[in-house]
Amino acid sequence: EESLQMWDLNKRLEAYLARVKFLEEENEVLRAEIQSAKGSPTGDSWRAKYEEELRALRDALDHAFREKCTAELARDNLYEEVQQVKSRCQKEQAAREEAKKQLSLSRKELEEERRAQIWLKERAVQLEKEVEALLEVHEEEKAGLDQEIASFSQSLESFRCAPVAFQPVEVEDYSKRLSEIWKGAVETYKTEVSQLEGSLCQAKENLWKAVEDNQQSQLQLQHLEKDLAGLKARKEMLEESLARQWQEQRGEAEKFQLAMEALEQEKQTLRVQIAQVLEDRQQLMHLKMSLSLEVATYRTLLEAESTRLQMPAG
């Protein structure tokens, strides 16, 4: 029984020794592979390539950040330009409103001047009618005076026999007063007519001035409308360019985000692989230690058994 147990133990020991030898050889192979991987140029090139790609990605990220800062600065400049355009549009709108107010005032003044001109025309016509009526009355009075003078002369001829009693002083005074009254009336009418003509000329000048102011206001309004249309077109163009830059910046940011996510995933994958390699190496070390302990135990058992067997023989 002891011989069978020893034979069984020898078989098991041979199997364990073969397994230990195989594991040691495999461990040596793995150690050589790890050393070769650490010292080989392929590993260094892979690491250098990875570092180079990481450096390139960092440079691209820095470039993208600089472009983002430039785009933000351009955006701020465009925003300031848009604010300036808005303020200018507001000023143009205020100037346009002021021009409209001035135009409405000019139109009102023009209407008033037209009404004044119509009133002056009517007044002139009325004064002409009054002058004509006064002329007719004067002609009638003159005719009456002529008839009175004729009748008076006839009466004088009838009283030629008494020249001492005739005194033509009253008739001459009467005729002088009538002539003076006539001259005064004519001068008054001439003065009124000249005043009406002067006011009519002044009204015509005011009318022409109002028409010129109206034309200038219309031209200024047209210029303001043209400037406003140009500013609106520029504002639309700036808004389109700003929206285009925002879209381009957003697309580039999305691309860089995807690249960073891919690098992060690759980094996690490499970490997992390195952890797996370290874990495998740790397991191999534990297995090696357990096998070494088993070998030492079997050697001790074998030495003890051989000592026990040699003792009776001695």
Side-chain angles (χ1 to χ4, degrees):
E1 292 177 357
E2 289 179 355
S3 298
L4 290 174
Q5 288 178 359
M6 287 298 296
W7 184 75
D8 189 12
L9 287 173
N10 287 327
K11 291 293 184 183
R12 289 178 64 186
L13 181 60
E14 289 177 0
Y16 279 117
L17 290 174
R19 185 178 177 185
V20 167
K21 187 177 180 181
F22 174 73
L23 290 173
E24 286 180 352
E25 290 177 356
E26 189 175 4
N27 193 9
E28 291 294 331
V29 172
L30 289 173
R31 186 178 296 149
E33 288 180 358
I34 290 170
Q35 293 295 329
S36 63
K38 286 182 179 180
S40 64
T42 57
D44 294 335
S45 64
W46 179 80
R47 186 173 181 180
K49 185 178 179 182
Y50 176 73
E51 290 179 354
E52 185 178 359
E53 289 180 357
L54 188 61
R55 193 180 300 110
L57 289 172
R58 286 177 180 173
D59 294 334
L61 185 61
D62 294 334
H63 182 67
F65 183 73
R66 288 194 294 271
E67 287 183 352
K68 182 181 178 182
C69 293
T70 306
E72 288 179 354
L73 183 61
R75 182 193 65 187
D76 295 335
N77 293 326
L78 289 173
Y79 182 74
E80 291 179 357
E81 290 182 0
V82 168
Q83 292 296 325
Q84 291 177 1
V85 169
K86 285 183 179 179
S87 63
R88 189 175 177 184
C89 287
Q90 291 176 359
K91 291 180 181 179
E92 295 292 335
Q93 188 71 22
R96 186 176 178 183
E97 294 294 333
E98 188 67 25
K100 285 183 179 179
K101 290 180 181 179
Q102 291 180 0
L103 182 61
S104 63
L105 291 174
S106 300
R107 286 178 180 175
K108 289 180 181 179
E109 291 178 357
L110 181 62
E111 291 294 331
E112 291 178 356
E113 292 293 334
R114 285 178 181 176
R115 291 176 183 174
Q117 186 180 4
I118 293 169
W119 181 81
L120 289 172
K121 286 181 180 179
E122 292 177 354
R123 183 65 178 167
V125 173
Q126 187 178 1
L127 290 173
E128 287 178 357
K129 290 181 180 179
E130 289 179 358
V131 169
E132 290 177 357
L134 289 173
L135 289 172
E136 289 178 358
V137 171
H138 180 67
E139 290 293 334
E140 290 177 357
E141 289 179 355
K142 186 178 180 183
L145 288 173
D146 290 335
Q147 288 178 2
E148 288 180 359
I149 290 168
S151 62
F152 186 72
S153 62
Q154 289 177 3
S155 62
L156 285 175
E157 287 177 358
S158 62
F159 288 101
R160 280 181 183 179
C161 296
V164 179
F166 178 70
Q167 294 179 0
V169 179
E170 295 179 358
V171 177
E172 290 178 358
D173 292 335
Y174 185 68
S175 62
K176 285 180 181 179
R177 273 186 289 168
L178 288 175
S179 62
E180 288 176 358
I181 291 168
W182 167 251
K183 287 180 181 179
V186 169
E187 291 295 331
T188 303
Y189 287 126
K190 284 182 179 179
T191 304
E192 290 181 356
V193 170
S194 63
Q195 289 178 358
L196 290 172
E197 288 179 353
S199 62
L200 183 62
C201 293
Q202 187 68 28
K204 287 182 179 179
E205 289 179 359
N206 293 329
L207 180 63
W208 282 110
K209 286 181 181 179
V211 171
E212 289 178 357
D213 292 336
N214 190 10
Q215 290 178 357
Q216 290 179 1
S217 299
Q218 288 180 356
L219 290 173
Q220 188 177 3
L221 184 62
Q222 290 177 359
H223 288 300
L224 290 173
E225 287 178 352
K226 289 181 181 178
D227 294 336
L228 183 61
L231 290 173
K232 285 182 179 179
R234 186 179 178 186
K235 180 181 177 182
E236 291 177 356
M237 183 175 66
L238 289 174
E239 288 179 352
E240 289 178 356
S241 63
L242 183 62
R244 196 182 308 112
Q245 289 181 1
W246 269 107
Q247 290 179 358
E248 291 177 356
Q249 186 178 0
R250 190 179 299 169
E252 290 178 357
E254 290 178 355
K255 289 181 181 178
F256 284 116
Q257 188 67 28
L258 292 173
M260 290 297 293
E261 290 177 358
L263 288 173
E264 191 66 27
Q265 290 179 359
E266 188 175 359
K267 183 179 178 182
Q268 294 294 332
T269 305
L270 289 172
R271 283 182 179 177
V272 171
Q273 290 178 0
I274 292 169
Q276 187 68 32
V277 170
L278 292 174
E279 187 178 358
D280 293 338
R281 185 176 179 184
Q282 193 72 22
Q283 289 179 359
L284 288 173
M285 292 295 292
H286 285 298
L287 183 61
K288 181 179 178 182
M289 289 174 66
S290 62
L291 291 175
S292 298
L293 289 173
E294 288 184 2
V295 169
T297 302
Y298 280 113
R299 283 179 180 173
T300 304
L301 290 173
L302 287 174
E303 288 176 357
E305 186 68 22
S306 61
T307 303
R308 188 178 66 84
L309 294 174
Q310 287 177 4
M311 286 176 66

mmCIF file with all atom_site columns, all heavy atoms in Angstrom, residues 224-243:
data_model
loop_
_atom_site.group_PDB
_atom_site.id
_atom_site.type_symbol
_atom_site.label_atom_id
_atom_site.label_alt_id
_atom_site.label_comp_id
_atom_site.label_asym_id
_atom_site.label_entity_id
_atom_site.label_seq_id
_atom_site.pdbx_PDB_ins_code
_atom_site.Cartn_x
_atom_site.Cartn_y
_atom_site.Cartn_z
_atom_site.occupancy
_atom_site.B_iso_or_equiv
_atom_site.pdbx_formal_charge
_atom_site.auth_seq_id
_atom_site.auth_comp_id
_atom_site.auth_asym_id
_atom_site.auth_atom_id
_atom_site.pdbx_PDB_model_num
ATOM 1   N N   . LEU A 1 224 ? -34.095 109.518 -47.694 1.00 0.00 ? 224 LEU A N   1
ATOM 2   C CA  . LEU A 1 224 ? -34.182 108.771 -46.439 1.00 0.00 ? 224 LEU A CA  1
ATOM 3   C C   . LEU A 1 224 ? -34.739 107.371 -46.659 1.00 0.00 ? 224 LEU A C   1
ATOM 4   O O   . LEU A 1 224 ? -34.278 106.393 -46.048 1.00 0.00 ? 224 LEU A O   1
ATOM 5   C CB  . LEU A 1 224 ? -35.059 109.532 -45.443 1.00 0.00 ? 224 LEU A CB  1
ATOM 6   C CG  . LEU A 1 224 ? -34.455 110.839 -44.883 1.00 0.00 ? 224 LEU A CG  1
ATOM 7   C CD1 . LEU A 1 224 ? -35.481 111.567 -44.043 1.00 0.00 ? 224 LEU A CD1 1
ATOM 8   C CD2 . LEU A 1 224 ? -33.217 110.552 -44.065 1.00 0.00 ? 224 LEU A CD2 1
ATOM 9   N N   . GLU A 1 225 ? -35.729 107.249 -47.539 1.00 0.00 ? 225 GLU A N   1
ATOM 10  C CA  . GLU A 1 225 ? -36.267 105.920 -47.844 1.00 0.00 ? 225 GLU A CA  1
ATOM 11  C C   . GLU A 1 225 ? -35.217 105.043 -48.512 1.00 0.00 ? 225 GLU A C   1
ATOM 12  O O   . GLU A 1 225 ? -35.109 103.847 -48.208 1.00 0.00 ? 225 GLU A O   1
ATOM 13  C CB  . GLU A 1 225 ? -37.491 106.063 -48.745 1.00 0.00 ? 225 GLU A CB  1
ATOM 14  C CG  . GLU A 1 225 ? -38.721 106.606 -48.015 1.00 0.00 ? 225 GLU A CG  1
ATOM 15  C CD  . GLU A 1 225 ? -39.908 106.782 -48.934 1.00 0.00 ? 225 GLU A CD  1
ATOM 16  O OE1 . GLU A 1 225 ? -39.720 106.616 -50.169 1.00 0.00 ? 225 GLU A OE1 1
ATOM 17  O OE2 . GLU A 1 225 ? -41.013 107.080 -48.444 1.00 0.00 ? 225 GLU A OE2 1
ATOM 18  N N   . LYS A 1 226 ? -34.411 105.639 -49.428 1.00 0.00 ? 226 LYS A N   1
ATOM 19  C CA  . LYS A 1 226 ? -33.336 104.861 -50.063 1.00 0.00 ? 226 LYS A CA  1
ATOM 20  C C   . LYS A 1 226 ? -32.312 104.407 -49.034 1.00 0.00 ? 226 LYS A C   1
ATOM 21  O O   . LYS A 1 226 ? -31.877 103.250 -49.032 1.00 0.00 ? 226 LYS A O   1
ATOM 22  C CB  . LYS A 1 226 ? -32.666 105.709 -51.151 1.00 0.00 ? 226 LYS A CB  1
ATOM 23  C CG  . LYS A 1 226 ? -33.528 105.929 -52.389 1.00 0.00 ? 226 LYS A CG  1
ATOM 24  C CD  . LYS A 1 226 ? -32.785 106.751 -53.423 1.00 0.00 ? 226 LYS A CD  1
ATOM 25  C CE  . LYS A 1 226 ? -33.647 106.994 -54.656 1.00 0.00 ? 226 LYS A CE  1
ATOM 26  N NZ  . LYS A 1 226 ? -32.941 107.843 -55.651 1.00 0.00 ? 226 LYS A NZ  1
ATOM 27  N N   . ASP A 1 227 ? -31.897 105.335 -48.149 1.00 0.00 ? 227 ASP A N   1
ATOM 28  C CA  . ASP A 1 227 ? -30.940 104.964 -47.097 1.00 0.00 ? 227 ASP A CA  1
ATOM 29  C C   . ASP A 1 227 ? -31.507 103.880 -46.192 1.00 0.00 ? 227 ASP A C   1
ATOM 30  O O   . ASP A 1 227 ? -30.805 102.949 -45.789 1.00 0.00 ? 227 ASP A O   1
ATOM 31  C CB  . ASP A 1 227 ? -30.571 106.194 -46.273 1.00 0.00 ? 227 ASP A CB  1
ATOM 32  C CG  . ASP A 1 227 ? -29.795 107.217 -47.086 1.00 0.00 ? 227 ASP A CG  1
ATOM 33  O OD1 . ASP A 1 227 ? -29.172 106.806 -48.089 1.00 0.00 ? 227 ASP A OD1 1
ATOM 34  O OD2 . ASP A 1 227 ? -29.833 108.407 -46.735 1.00 0.00 ? 227 ASP A OD2 1
ATOM 35  N N   . LEU A 1 228 ? -32.806 103.992 -45.870 1.00 0.00 ? 228 LEU A N   1
ATOM 36  C CA  . LEU A 1 228 ? -33.436 102.987 -45.013 1.00 0.00 ? 228 LEU A CA  1
ATOM 37  C C   . LEU A 1 228 ? -33.473 101.619 -45.692 1.00 0.00 ? 228 LEU A C   1
ATOM 38  O O   . LEU A 1 228 ? -33.210 100.582 -45.066 1.00 0.00 ? 228 LEU A O   1
ATOM 39  C CB  . LEU A 1 228 ? -34.847 103.437 -44.654 1.00 0.00 ? 228 LEU A CB  1
ATOM 40  C CG  . LEU A 1 228 ? -35.631 102.540 -43.690 1.00 0.00 ? 228 LEU A CG  1
ATOM 41  C CD1 . LEU A 1 228 ? -34.917 102.451 -42.353 1.00 0.00 ? 228 LEU A CD1 1
ATOM 42  C CD2 . LEU A 1 228 ? -37.039 103.069 -43.491 1.00 0.00 ? 228 LEU A CD2 1
ATOM 43  N N   . ALA A 1 229 ? -33.766 101.613 -47.000 1.00 0.00 ? 229 ALA A N   1
ATOM 44  C CA  . ALA A 1 229 ? -33.770 100.337 -47.730 1.00 0.00 ? 229 ALA A CA  1
ATOM 45  C C   . ALA A 1 229 ? -32.370 99.727  -47.765 1.00 0.00 ? 229 ALA A C   1
ATOM 46  O O   . ALA A 1 229 ? -32.200 98.519  -47.584 1.00 0.00 ? 229 ALA A O   1
ATOM 47  C CB  . ALA A 1 229 ? -34.296 100.561 -49.152 1.00 0.00 ? 229 ALA A CB  1
ATOM 48  N N   . GLY A 1 230 ? -31.338 100.581 -47.980 1.00 0.00 ? 230 GLY A N   1
ATOM 49  C CA  . GLY A 1 230 ? -29.970 100.073 -47.973 1.00 0.00 ? 230 GLY A CA  1
ATOM 50  C C   . GLY A 1 230 ? -29.567 99.519  -46.620 1.00 0.00 ? 230 GLY A C   1
ATOM 51  O O   . GLY A 1 230 ? -28.922 98.475  -46.524 1.00 0.00 ? 230 GLY A O   1
ATOM 52  N N   . LEU A 1 231 ? -29.964 100.234 -45.557 1.00 0.00 ? 231 LEU A N   1
ATOM 53  C CA  . LEU A 1 231 ? -29.652 99.756  -44.207 1.00 0.00 ? 231 LEU A CA  1
ATOM 54  C C   . LEU A 1 231 ? -30.374 98.451  -43.904 1.00 0.00 ? 231 LEU A C   1
ATOM 55  O O   . LEU A 1 231 ? -29.822 97.547  -43.263 1.00 0.00 ? 231 LEU A O   1
ATOM 56  C CB  . LEU A 1 231 ? -30.036 100.826 -43.191 1.00 0.00 ? 231 LEU A CB  1
ATOM 57  C CG  . LEU A 1 231 ? -29.159 102.090 -43.194 1.00 0.00 ? 231 LEU A CG  1
ATOM 58  C CD1 . LEU A 1 231 ? -29.741 103.134 -42.266 1.00 0.00 ? 231 LEU A CD1 1
ATOM 59  C CD2 . LEU A 1 231 ? -27.740 101.764 -42.784 1.00 0.00 ? 231 LEU A CD2 1
ATOM 60  N N   . LYS A 1 232 ? -31.632 98.330  -44.356 1.00 0.00 ? 232 LYS A N   1
ATOM 61  C CA  . LYS A 1 232 ? -32.353 97.069  -44.149 1.00 0.00 ? 232 LYS A CA  1
ATOM 62  C C   . LYS A 1 232 ? -31.669 95.919  -44.880 1.00 0.00 ? 232 LYS A C   1
ATOM 63  O O   . LYS A 1 232 ? -31.534 94.814  -44.337 1.00 0.00 ? 232 LYS A O   1
ATOM 64  C CB  . LYS A 1 232 ? -33.790 97.219  -44.624 1.00 0.00 ? 232 LYS A CB  1
ATOM 65  C CG  . LYS A 1 232 ? -34.675 98.045  -43.686 1.00 0.00 ? 232 LYS A CG  1
ATOM 66  C CD  . LYS A 1 232 ? -36.099 98.109  -44.192 1.00 0.00 ? 232 LYS A CD  1
ATOM 67  C CE  . LYS A 1 232 ? -36.980 98.903  -43.237 1.00 0.00 ? 232 LYS A CE  1
ATOM 68  N NZ  . LYS A 1 232 ? -38.383 99.002  -43.741 1.00 0.00 ? 232 LYS A NZ  1
ATOM 69  N N   . ALA A 1 233 ? -31.239 96.178  -46.134 1.00 0.00 ? 233 ALA A N   1
ATOM 70  C CA  . ALA A 1 233 ? -30.548 95.124  -46.896 1.00 0.00 ? 233 ALA A CA  1
ATOM 71  C C   . ALA A 1 233 ? -29.237 94.722  -46.209 1.00 0.00 ? 233 ALA A C   1
ATOM 72  O O   . ALA A 1 233 ? -28.911 93.540  -46.105 1.00 0.00 ? 233 ALA A O   1
ATOM 73  C CB  . ALA A 1 233 ? -30.273 95.610  -48.315 1.00 0.00 ? 233 ALA A CB  1
ATOM 74  N N   . ARG A 1 234 ? -28.491 95.732  -45.711 1.00 0.00 ? 234 ARG A N   1
ATOM 75  C CA  . ARG A 1 234 ? -27.245 95.426  -45.015 1.00 0.00 ? 234 ARG A CA  1
ATOM 76  C C   . ARG A 1 234 ? -27.512 94.662  -43.730 1.00 0.00 ? 234 ARG A C   1
ATOM 77  O O   . ARG A 1 234 ? -26.779 93.724  -43.378 1.00 0.00 ? 234 ARG A O   1
ATOM 78  C CB  . ARG A 1 234 ? -26.513 96.728  -44.696 1.00 0.00 ? 234 ARG A CB  1
ATOM 79  C CG  . ARG A 1 234 ? -25.130 96.508  -44.106 1.00 0.00 ? 234 ARG A CG  1
ATOM 80  C CD  . ARG A 1 234 ? -24.448 97.821  -43.841 1.00 0.00 ? 234 ARG A CD  1
ATOM 81  N NE  . ARG A 1 234 ? -23.139 97.614  -43.223 1.00 0.00 ? 234 ARG A NE  1
ATOM 82  C CZ  . ARG A 1 234 ? -22.367 98.590  -42.785 1.00 0.00 ? 234 ARG A CZ  1
ATOM 83  N NH1 . ARG A 1 234 ? -22.763 99.851  -42.919 1.00 0.00 ? 234 ARG A NH1 1
ATOM 84  N NH2 . ARG A 1 234 ? -21.201 98.324  -42.227 1.00 0.00 ? 234 ARG A NH2 1
ATOM 85  N N   . LYS A 1 235 ? -28.596 95.042  -43.023 1.00 0.00 ? 235 LYS A N   1
ATOM 86  C CA  . LYS A 1 235 ? -28.944 94.341  -41.805 1.00 0.00 ? 235 LYS A CA  1
ATOM 87  C C   . LYS A 1 235 ? -29.279 92.882  -42.100 1.00 0.00 ? 235 LYS A C   1
ATOM 88  O O   . LYS A 1 235 ? -28.836 91.960  -41.405 1.00 0.00 ? 235 LYS A O   1
ATOM 89  C CB  . LYS A 1 235 ? -30.134 95.034  -41.151 1.00 0.00 ? 235 LYS A CB  1
ATOM 90  C CG  . LYS A 1 235 ? -30.588 94.390  -39.854 1.00 0.00 ? 235 LYS A CG  1
ATOM 91  C CD  . LYS A 1 235 ? -31.793 95.116  -39.291 1.00 0.00 ? 235 LYS A CD  1
ATOM 92  C CE  . LYS A 1 235 ? -32.313 94.429  -38.031 1.00 0.00 ? 235 LYS A CE  1
ATOM 93  N NZ  . LYS A 1 235 ? -33.527 95.107  -37.511 1.00 0.00 ? 235 LYS A NZ  1
ATOM 94  N N   . GLU A 1 236 ? -30.065 92.632  -43.167 1.00 0.00 ? 236 GLU A N   1
ATOM 95  C CA  . GLU A 1 236 ? -30.396 91.252  -43.541 1.00 0.00 ? 236 GLU A CA  1
ATOM 96  C C   . GLU A 1 236 ? -29.143 90.466  -43.906 1.00 0.00 ? 236 GLU A C   1
ATOM 97  O O   . GLU A 1 236 ? -28.984 89.303  -43.525 1.00 0.00 ? 236 GLU A O   1
ATOM 98  C CB  . GLU A 1 236 ? -31.388 91.269  -44.701 1.00 0.00 ? 236 GLU A CB  1
ATOM 99  C CG  . GLU A 1 236 ? -32.776 91.798  -44.313 1.00 0.00 ? 236 GLU A CG  1
ATOM 100 C CD  . GLU A 1 236 ? -33.713 91.876  -45.499 1.00 0.00 ? 236 GLU A CD  1
ATOM 101 O OE1 . GLU A 1 236 ? -33.229 91.586  -46.629 1.00 0.00 ? 236 GLU A OE1 1
ATOM 102 O OE2 . GLU A 1 236 ? -34.900 92.208  -45.320 1.00 0.00 ? 236 GLU A OE2 1
ATOM 103 N N   . MET A 1 237 ? -28.227 91.114  -44.654 1.00 0.00 ? 237 MET A N   1
ATOM 104 C CA  . MET A 1 237 ? -26.992 90.431  -45.049 1.00 0.00 ? 237 MET A CA  1
ATOM 105 C C   . MET A 1 237 ? -26.152 90.086  -43.822 1.00 0.00 ? 237 MET A C   1
ATOM 106 O O   . MET A 1 237 ? -25.607 88.978  -43.711 1.00 0.00 ? 237 MET A O   1
ATOM 107 C CB  . MET A 1 237 ? -26.209 91.334  -45.996 1.00 0.00 ? 237 MET A CB  1
ATOM 108 C CG  . MET A 1 237 ? -24.932 90.719  -46.545 1.00 0.00 ? 237 MET A CG  1
ATOM 109 S SD  . MET A 1 237 ? -24.146 91.794  -47.753 1.00 0.00 ? 237 MET A SD  1
ATOM 110 C CE  . MET A 1 237 ? -23.687 93.167  -46.703 1.00 0.00 ? 237 MET A CE  1
ATOM 111 N N   . LEU A 1 238 ? -26.052 91.031  -42.876 1.00 0.00 ? 238 LEU A N   1
ATOM 112 C CA  . LEU A 1 238 ? -25.284 90.765  -41.653 1.00 0.00 ? 238 LEU A CA  1
ATOM 113 C C   . LEU A 1 238 ? -25.931 89.652  -40.833 1.00 0.00 ? 238 LEU A C   1
ATOM 114 O O   . LEU A 1 238 ? -25.240 88.782  -40.288 1.00 0.00 ? 238 LEU A O   1
ATOM 115 C CB  . LEU A 1 238 ? -25.193 92.041  -40.824 1.00 0.00 ? 238 LEU A CB  1
ATOM 116 C CG  . LEU A 1 238 ? -24.291 93.147  -41.386 1.00 0.00 ? 238 LEU A CG  1
ATOM 117 C CD1 . LEU A 1 238 ? -24.420 94.405  -40.543 1.00 0.00 ? 238 LEU A CD1 1
ATOM 118 C CD2 . LEU A 1 238 ? -22.843 92.702  -41.446 1.00 0.00 ? 238 LEU A CD2 1
ATOM 119 N N   . GLU A 1 239 ? -27.264 89.653  -40.756 1.00 0.00 ? 239 GLU A N   1
ATOM 120 C CA  . GLU A 1 239 ? -27.944 88.581  -40.017 1.00 0.00 ? 239 GLU A CA  1
ATOM 121 C C   . GLU A 1 239 ? -27.728 87.233  -40.687 1.00 0.00 ? 239 GLU A C   1
ATOM 122 O O   . GLU A 1 239 ? -27.507 86.218  -40.006 1.00 0.00 ? 239 GLU A O   1
ATOM 123 C CB  . GLU A 1 239 ? -29.430 88.901  -39.924 1.00 0.00 ? 239 GLU A CB  1
ATOM 124 C CG  . GLU A 1 239 ? -29.752 90.051  -38.953 1.00 0.00 ? 239 GLU A CG  1
ATOM 125 C CD  . GLU A 1 239 ? -31.221 90.367  -38.907 1.00 0.00 ? 239 GLU A CD  1
ATOM 126 O OE1 . GLU A 1 239 ? -31.970 89.793  -39.739 1.00 0.00 ? 239 GLU A OE1 1
ATOM 127 O OE2 . GLU A 1 239 ? -31.635 91.176  -38.048 1.00 0.00 ? 239 GLU A OE2 1
ATOM 128 N N   . GLU A 1 240 ? -27.771 87.196  -42.038 1.00 0.00 ? 240 GLU A N   1
ATOM 129 C CA  . GLU A 1 240 ? -27.524 85.932  -42.740 1.00 0.00 ? 240 GLU A CA  1
ATOM 130 C C   . GLU A 1 240 ? -26.097 85.443  -42.510 1.00 0.00 ? 240 GLU A C   1
ATOM 131 O O   . GLU A 1 240 ? -25.869 84.253  -42.251 1.00 0.00 ? 240 GLU A O   1
ATOM 132 C CB  . GLU A 1 240 ? -27.781 86.129  -44.237 1.00 0.00 ? 240 GLU A CB  1
ATOM 133 C CG  . GLU A 1 240 ? -29.260 86.305  -44.586 1.00 0.00 ? 240 GLU A CG  1
ATOM 134 C CD  . GLU A 1 240 ? -29.470 86.536  -46.063 1.00 0.00 ? 240 GLU A CD  1
ATOM 135 O OE1 . GLU A 1 240 ? -28.442 86.633  -46.783 1.00 0.00 ? 240 GLU A OE1 1
ATOM 136 O OE2 . GLU A 1 240 ? -30.636 86.633  -46.499 1.00 0.00 ? 240 GLU A OE2 1
ATOM 137 N N   . SER A 1 241 ? -25.103 86.362  -42.610 1.00 0.00 ? 241 SER A N   1
ATOM 138 C CA  . SER A 1 241 ? -23.718 85.947  -42.376 1.00 0.00 ? 241 SER A CA  1
ATOM 139 C C   . SER A 1 241 ? -23.513 85.482  -40.936 1.00 0.00 ? 241 SER A C   1
ATOM 140 O O   . SER A 1 241 ? -22.807 84.507  -40.674 1.00 0.00 ? 241 SER A O   1
ATOM 141 C CB  . SER A 1 241 ? -22.777 87.113  -42.683 1.00 0.00 ? 241 SER A CB  1
ATOM 142 O OG  . SER A 1 241 ? -23.034 88.198  -41.810 1.00 0.00 ? 241 SER A OG  1
ATOM 143 N N   . LEU A 1 242 ? -24.174 86.167  -39.990 1.00 0.00 ? 242 LEU A N   1
ATOM 144 C CA  . LEU A 1 242 ? -24.064 85.756  -38.585 1.00 0.00 ? 242 LEU A CA  1
ATOM 145 C C   . LEU A 1 242 ? -24.677 84.370  -38.365 1.00 0.00 ? 242 LEU A C   1
ATOM 146 O O   . LEU A 1 242 ? -24.092 83.512  -37.686 1.00 0.00 ? 242 LEU A O   1
ATOM 147 C CB  . LEU A 1 242 ? -24.756 86.790  -37.706 1.00 0.00 ? 242 LEU A CB  1
ATOM 148 C CG  . LEU A 1 242 ? -24.670 86.564  -36.192 1.00 0.00 ? 242 LEU A CG  1
ATOM 149 C CD1 . LEU A 1 242 ? -23.228 86.604  -35.735 1.00 0.00 ? 242 LEU A CD1 1
ATOM 150 C CD2 . LEU A 1 242 ? -25.479 87.607  -35.453 1.00 0.00 ? 242 LEU A CD2 1
ATOM 151 N N   . ALA A 1 243 ? -25.847 84.140  -38.973 1.00 0.00 ? 243 ALA A N   1
ATOM 152 C CA  . ALA A 1 243 ? -26.472 82.817  -38.842 1.00 0.00 ? 243 ALA A CA  1
ATOM 153 C C   . ALA A 1 243 ? -25.617 81.738  -39.498 1.00 0.00 ? 243 ALA A C   1
ATOM 154 O O   . ALA A 1 243 ? -25.446 80.633  -38.953 1.00 0.00 ? 243 ALA A O   1
ATOM 155 C CB  . ALA A 1 243 ? -27.856 82.845  -39.482 1.00 0.00 ? 243 ALA A CB  1
#
